[in-house]
Amino acid sequence: MSRYIPPEQNKAGQIFDIAVVVVTIFVALWLPLKLGLAGAAKSIDALDTKTWDALGQNATMAAIWEKLGYTPETAHDIIQNRFHYIIDWPTLIIMAIVLVAYFVFLFRASDREYREVINEKFDDK
């Protein structure tokens, strides 16, 4: 029985694979920013009275803000800048379907390749 030797990939193929992975990661991180999907729910909850108490800051926090050179008016936008988490159900369902389809494809392709290797190695038995 001969030992299974997997096919070897040349250097150009390895470099191409690395380039594809780097570009894919870059696009996956950059595209949501470009389409305005990242941080889209970010907004400033404006207050009528801009005091440390209205901003929810105690005396210690206010002292630190003041040491940093902030007043209640200048710190207002920083403190009140919040994310509002809203679930977009159609997008969530589409994403779940795509992920499940990808894993089904991955498992089926892996199973097929695994069976080919087993048949190649143990076909005579």
Coordinates of all heavy atoms in Angstrom, one line a residue, residues 70-122:
Y70 N -12.4 70.1 29.5 CA -13.8 70.1 29.0 C -14.7 70.8 30.0 O -14.5 70.8 31.2 CB -14.3 68.6 28.8 CG -13.7 67.9 27.6 CD1 -12.6 67.1 27.8 CD2 -14.1 68.1 26.4 CE1 -12.0 66.4 26.8 CE2 -13.6 67.4 25.3 CZ -12.5 66.6 25.5 OH -11.9 65.9 24.4
T71 N -15.8 71.4 29.4 CA -16.9 71.9 30.1 C -18.1 71.1 29.8 O -18.0 70.2 28.9 CB -17.1 73.4 29.7 OG1 -17.6 73.4 28.3 CG2 -15.9 74.3 29.9
P72 N -19.2 71.2 30.5 CA -20.4 70.4 30.2 C -20.8 70.6 28.7 O -21.3 69.7 28.1 CB -21.4 70.9 31.2 CG -20.7 71.4 32.3 CD -19.4 72.0 31.8
E73 N -20.6 71.8 28.2 CA -21.0 72.1 26.8 C -20.1 71.4 25.8 O -20.6 70.9 24.8 CB -21.0 73.6 26.5 CG -22.1 74.4 27.2 CD -21.8 74.7 28.7 OE1 -20.6 74.6 29.1 OE2 -22.7 74.9 29.5
T74 N -18.8 71.4 26.1 CA -17.9 70.7 25.1 C -17.9 69.2 25.3 O -17.6 68.5 24.3 CB -16.5 71.3 25.3 OG1 -16.0 71.1 26.6 CG2 -16.4 72.7 24.9
A75 N -18.2 68.7 26.5 CA -18.2 67.3 26.7 C -19.6 66.6 26.3 O -19.7 65.4 26.2 CB -17.9 66.9 28.2
H76 N -20.6 67.5 26.1 CA -21.9 67.0 25.8 C -21.9 66.0 24.6 O -22.5 64.9 24.7 CB -22.9 68.2 25.5 CG -24.2 67.7 25.0 ND1 -24.5 67.6 23.7 CD2 -25.3 67.4 25.7 CE1 -25.7 67.2 23.5 NE2 -26.3 67.1 24.7
D77 N -21.3 66.4 23.5 CA -21.4 65.6 22.3 C -20.6 64.2 22.5 O -20.9 63.2 21.9 CB -20.8 66.3 21.1 CG -21.8 67.4 20.6 OD1 -22.9 67.4 21.1 OD2 -21.4 68.2 19.8
I78 N -19.5 64.3 23.3 CA -18.8 63.1 23.5 C -19.5 62.1 24.4 O -19.6 60.9 24.1 CB -17.4 63.4 24.2 CG1 -16.6 64.3 23.3 CG2 -16.6 62.1 24.5 CD1 -15.4 64.9 23.9
I79 N -20.1 62.6 25.5 CA -20.9 61.7 26.4 C -22.2 61.2 25.8 O -22.5 60.1 26.0 CB -21.1 62.5 27.7 CG1 -19.8 62.9 28.4 CG2 -22.0 61.7 28.6 CD1 -19.9 63.8 29.6
Q80 N -22.9 62.1 25.1 CA -24.2 61.7 24.5 C -24.1 61.0 23.2 O -25.1 60.7 22.6 CB -25.1 62.9 24.4 CG -25.4 63.5 25.8 CD -26.2 62.6 26.6 OE1 -25.6 62.0 27.6 NE2 -27.5 62.3 26.3
N81 N -22.9 60.7 22.7 CA -22.7 60.0 21.4 C -22.9 58.5 21.6 O -22.1 57.9 22.2 CB -21.4 60.3 20.8 CG -21.2 59.9 19.4 OD1 -22.2 59.4 18.8 ND2 -20.1 60.2 18.8
R82 N -24.1 58.0 21.2 CA -24.4 56.6 21.6 C -24.8 55.8 20.3 O -25.2 56.3 19.3 CB -25.6 56.6 22.5 CG -25.3 57.4 23.8 CD -26.5 57.3 24.7 NE -26.4 58.3 25.8 CZ -25.8 58.1 26.9 NH1 -25.3 56.9 27.2 NH2 -25.7 59.1 27.8
F83 N -24.7 54.5 20.5 CA -25.2 53.6 19.5 C -26.6 53.1 19.9 O -26.8 52.8 21.0 CB -24.3 52.3 19.4 CG -23.0 52.6 18.6 CD1 -21.8 52.9 19.2 CD2 -23.0 52.5 17.2 CE1 -20.7 53.1 18.5 CE2 -21.9 52.7 16.5 CZ -20.7 53.0 17.2
H84 N -27.4 53.1 18.9 CA -28.8 52.6 19.1 C -28.9 51.3 18.3 O -28.8 51.3 17.1 CB -29.8 53.6 18.6 CG -29.8 54.9 19.3 ND1 -30.3 55.1 20.6 CD2 -29.2 56.1 19.0 CE1 -30.0 56.3 21.0 NE2 -29.4 57.0 20.1
Y85 N -29.0 50.2 19.1 CA -29.0 48.9 18.5 C -30.4 48.5 18.0 O -31.3 48.3 18.8 CB -28.5 47.9 19.5 CG -27.0 48.2 19.8 CD1 -26.7 48.8 21.0 CD2 -26.0 47.8 19.0 CE1 -25.4 49.1 21.3 CE2 -24.7 48.1 19.3 CZ -24.4 48.7 20.5 OH -23.1 49.0 20.8
I86 N -30.5 48.5 16.7 CA -31.8 48.1 16.1 C -31.5 46.9 15.1 O -30.6 47.0 14.3 CB -32.4 49.3 15.3 CG1 -32.6 50.5 16.2 CG2 -33.7 48.9 14.6 CD1 -33.0 51.8 15.5
I87 N -32.3 45.9 15.3 CA -32.1 44.7 14.5 C -32.9 44.8 13.2 O -34.1 45.0 13.2 CB -32.5 43.4 15.2 CG1 -31.6 43.2 16.5 CG2 -32.4 42.2 14.3 CD1 -32.0 42.1 17.4
D88 N -32.1 44.7 12.1 CA -32.8 44.7 10.7 C -33.0 43.2 10.4 O -32.2 42.5 9.9 CB -31.8 45.4 9.7 CG -32.4 45.5 8.4 OD1 -33.7 45.3 8.2 OD2 -31.7 45.7 7.4
W89 N -34.3 42.8 10.6 CA -34.6 41.4 10.5 C -34.4 40.8 9.1 O -33.8 39.7 9.0 CB -36.0 41.1 11.0 CG -36.1 41.2 12.5 CD1 -36.7 42.3 13.2 CD2 -35.6 40.3 13.4 NE1 -36.5 42.0 14.5 CE2 -35.9 40.8 14.7 CE3 -35.0 39.1 13.3 CZ2 -35.5 40.2 15.9 CZ3 -34.6 38.4 14.5 CH2 -34.9 39.0 15.7
P90 N -34.8 41.5 8.0 CA -34.5 40.9 6.7 C -33.0 40.7 6.4 O -32.6 39.6 5.9 CB -35.1 41.9 5.7 CG -36.1 42.6 6.5 CD -35.6 42.7 7.9
T91 N -32.2 41.6 6.8 CA -30.7 41.5 6.6 C -30.2 40.4 7.5 O -29.3 39.6 7.0 CB -30.0 42.8 7.0 OG1 -30.6 43.8 6.2 CG2 -28.6 42.7 6.7
L92 N -30.7 40.3 8.7 CA -30.2 39.2 9.6 C -30.6 37.8 9.1 O -29.8 36.9 9.1 CB -30.8 39.4 11.0 CG -30.4 38.3 12.0 CD1 -28.9 38.4 12.3 CD2 -31.3 38.5 13.3
I93 N -31.8 37.7 8.5 CA -32.2 36.4 7.9 C -31.4 36.0 6.7 O -31.0 34.9 6.5 CB -33.8 36.4 7.7 CG1 -34.5 36.5 9.0 CG2 -34.2 35.2 6.8 CD1 -36.0 36.8 8.8
I94 N -31.2 37.0 5.9 CA -30.4 36.8 4.6 C -29.0 36.4 5.0 O -28.4 35.4 4.5 CB -30.3 38.0 3.7 CG1 -31.7 38.3 3.1 CG2 -29.3 37.9 2.7 CD1 -31.9 39.6 2.4
M95 N -28.4 37.0 6.0 CA -27.0 36.7 6.5 C -27.0 35.2 7.0 O -26.1 34.5 6.7 CB -26.5 37.6 7.5 CG -25.1 37.4 8.0 SD -24.6 38.4 9.3 CE -25.6 37.9 10.7
A96 N -28.0 34.9 7.8 CA -28.1 33.5 8.3 C -28.2 32.5 7.2 O -27.5 31.4 7.3 CB -29.3 33.4 9.3
I97 N -29.0 32.8 6.2 CA -29.2 31.8 5.1 C -27.9 31.7 4.3 O -27.5 30.6 4.0 CB -30.3 32.3 4.2 CG1 -31.7 32.2 4.8 CG2 -30.3 31.6 2.8 CD1 -32.8 32.8 4.1
V98 N -27.2 32.8 4.1 CA -25.9 32.7 3.4 C -24.9 31.9 4.2 O -24.1 31.1 3.6 CB -25.3 34.2 3.1 CG1 -23.9 34.1 2.7 CG2 -26.2 34.9 2.1
L99 N -24.8 32.1 5.5 CA -23.9 31.4 6.3 C -24.2 29.9 6.4 O -23.3 29.1 6.2 CB -23.8 31.9 7.8 CG -23.1 33.2 8.0 CD1 -23.3 33.8 9.4 CD2 -21.6 33.1 7.6
V100 N -25.4 29.5 6.5 CA -25.8 28.1 6.5 C -25.5 27.5 5.1 O -25.0 26.4 5.1 CB -27.3 28.0 6.9 CG1 -27.8 26.6 6.6 CG2 -27.5 28.3 8.3
A101 N -25.8 28.2 4.1 CA -25.5 27.7 2.7 C -24.0 27.5 2.5 O -23.6 26.5 1.9 CB -26.1 28.6 1.6
Y102 N -23.2 28.4 3.0 CA -21.8 28.3 2.9 C -21.3 27.1 3.7 O -20.5 26.3 3.1 CB -21.1 29.5 3.4 CG -19.6 29.4 3.6 CD1 -18.8 29.3 2.5 CD2 -19.0 29.2 4.8 CE1 -17.4 29.2 2.6 CE2 -17.6 29.0 4.9 CZ -16.9 29.0 3.8 OH -15.5 28.8 3.9
F103 N -21.8 26.8 4.9 CA -21.3 25.7 5.7 C -21.8 24.4 5.0 O -21.1 23.4 5.1 CB -21.7 25.8 7.1 CG -20.8 26.7 7.9 CD1 -21.2 27.9 8.3 CD2 -19.5 26.4 8.1 CE1 -20.4 28.8 9.0 CE2 -18.6 27.2 8.8 CZ -19.1 28.4 9.2
V104 N -23.0 24.4 4.5 CA -23.5 23.1 3.8 C -22.5 22.8 2.6 O -22.1 21.7 2.4 CB -24.9 23.3 3.4 CG1 -25.3 22.2 2.4 CG2 -25.8 23.3 4.6
F105 N -22.2 23.9 1.8 CA -21.3 23.7 0.7 C -19.9 23.2 1.2 O -19.4 22.3 0.6 CB -21.1 25.0 -0.1 CG -20.0 25.0 -1.0 CD1 -20.0 24.3 -2.2 CD2 -18.8 25.7 -0.6 CE1 -18.9 24.3 -3.0 CE2 -17.7 25.7 -1.5 CZ -17.7 25.0 -2.7
L106 N -19.4 23.8 2.2 CA -18.1 23.5 2.8 C -18.1 22.0 3.2 O -17.1 21.3 2.9 CB -17.8 24.4 3.9 CG -16.4 24.2 4.6 CD1 -15.3 24.7 3.6 CD2 -16.3 25.0 5.9
F107 N -19.1 21.6 3.9 CA -19.1 20.2 4.4 C -19.3 19.2 3.3 O -18.7 18.1 3.3 CB -20.2 20.0 5.5 CG -19.9 20.7 6.8 CD1 -20.9 21.4 7.4 CD2 -18.6 20.7 7.3 CE1 -20.6 22.0 8.6 CE2 -18.3 21.3 8.5 CZ -19.3 22.0 9.2
R108 N -20.1 19.5 2.3 CA -20.3 18.6 1.2 C -19.0 18.5 0.3 O -18.6 17.4 -0.1 CB -21.5 19.1 0.3 CG -22.8 18.9 1.1 CD -24.0 19.2 0.2 NE -24.2 17.9 -0.5 CZ -25.2 17.7 -1.3 NH1 -26.1 18.7 -1.5 NH2 -25.3 16.6 -2.0
A109 N -18.4 19.6 0.1 CA -17.1 19.6 -0.7 C -16.0 18.9 0.1 O -15.3 18.1 -0.5 CB -16.7 21.0 -1.0
S110 N -15.9 19.1 1.4 CA -14.9 18.4 2.2 C -15.2 16.9 2.2 O -14.3 16.1 2.1 CB -14.9 19.0 3.6 OG -14.5 20.3 3.6
D111 N -16.5 16.5 2.3 CA -16.8 15.1 2.4 C -16.5 14.5 1.0 O -15.9 13.4 1.0 CB -18.3 15.0 2.6 CG -18.8 13.5 2.7 OD1 -18.2 12.8 3.5 OD2 -19.6 13.1 1.9
R112 N -16.7 15.1 -0.1 CA -16.4 14.6 -1.4 C -14.9 14.4 -1.5 O -14.4 13.3 -2.0 CB -16.9 15.5 -2.5 CG -16.8 14.9 -3.9 CD -17.5 15.7 -5.0 NE -17.2 17.2 -4.8 CZ -18.2 18.1 -4.6 NH1 -19.4 17.7 -4.4 NH2 -17.9 19.3 -4.5
E113 N -14.1 15.4 -1.1 CA -12.7 15.3 -1.2 C -12.1 14.2 -0.3 O -11.2 13.5 -0.6 CB -12.0 16.6 -0.9 CG -12.2 17.7 -2.0 CD -11.5 19.0 -1.7 OE1 -10.7 19.0 -0.8 OE2 -11.9 20.0 -2.3
Y114 N -12.7 14.1 0.9 CA -12.3 13.1 1.9 C -12.5 11.7 1.3 O -11.7 10.8 1.4 CB -13.0 13.3 3.2 CG -12.7 12.2 4.2 CD1 -11.5 12.2 4.9 CD2 -13.7 11.2 4.5 CE1 -11.3 11.3 5.9 CE2 -13.4 10.3 5.5 CZ -12.2 10.3 6.1 OH -11.9 9.3 7.1
R115 N -13.7 11.5 0.7 CA -14.0 10.2 0.1 C -13.1 9.9 -1.1 O -12.7 8.7 -1.3 CB -15.5 10.1 -0.3 CG -16.4 10.1 0.9 CD -17.9 10.0 0.5 NE -18.7 10.2 1.6 CZ -19.0 9.3 2.5 NH1 -18.5 8.1 2.4 NH2 -19.8 9.5 3.5
E116 N -12.7 10.9 -1.9 CA -11.8 10.7 -3.0 C -10.4 10.2 -2.4 O -9.8 9.3 -3.0 CB -11.6 11.9 -3.8 CG -12.8 12.3 -4.7 CD -12.6 13.6 -5.4 OE1 -11.5 14.2 -5.3 OE2 -13.5 14.1 -6.0
V117 N -9.9 10.8 -1.4 CA -8.7 10.4 -0.8 C -8.7 9.0 -0.2 O -7.9 8.1 -0.5 CB -8.2 11.4 0.3 CG1 -7.0 10.8 1.1 CG2 -7.9 12.7 -0.3
I118 N -9.8 8.6 0.4 CA -10.0 7.3 1.0 C -10.1 6.3 -0.1 O -9.4 5.2 -0.1 CB -11.3 7.2 1.9 CG1 -11.1 8.1 3.1 CG2 -11.6 5.8 2.3 CD1 -10.0 7.7 4.0
N119 N -10.8 6.6 -1.2 CA -10.9 5.7 -2.3 C -9.6 5.5 -3.0 O -9.3 4.4 -3.5 CB -12.0 6.1 -3.3 CG -13.4 5.9 -2.8 OD1 -13.6 5.1 -1.9 ND2 -14.3 6.7 -3.3
E120 N -8.9 6.6 -3.1 CA -7.5 6.5 -3.8 C -6.6 5.7 -3.0 O -5.8 4.9 -3.5 CB -7.0 7.9 -3.9 CG -5.7 8.0 -4.6 CD -5.2 9.5 -4.7 OE1 -6.0 10.3 -5.1 OE2 -4.0 9.7 -4.3
K121 N -6.7 5.8 -1.7 CA -5.7 5.0 -0.8 C -6.1 3.6 -0.6 O -5.3 2.7 -0.6 CB -5.6 5.8 0.5 CG -4.6 5.1 1.4 CD -3.9 6.2 2.3 CE -2.9 5.5 3.2 NZ -1.6 5.5 2.7
F122 N -7.5 3.4 -0.4 CA -7.9 2.0 0.0 C -8.8 1.4 -1.1 O -9.6 0.5 -0.7 CB -8.7 2.1 1.3 CG -7.8 2.6 2.4 CD1 -8.1 3.9 3.0 CD2 -6.9 1.8 3.0 CE1 -7.3 4.4 4.0 CE2 -6.1 2.3 4.1 CZ -6.3 3.6 4.5

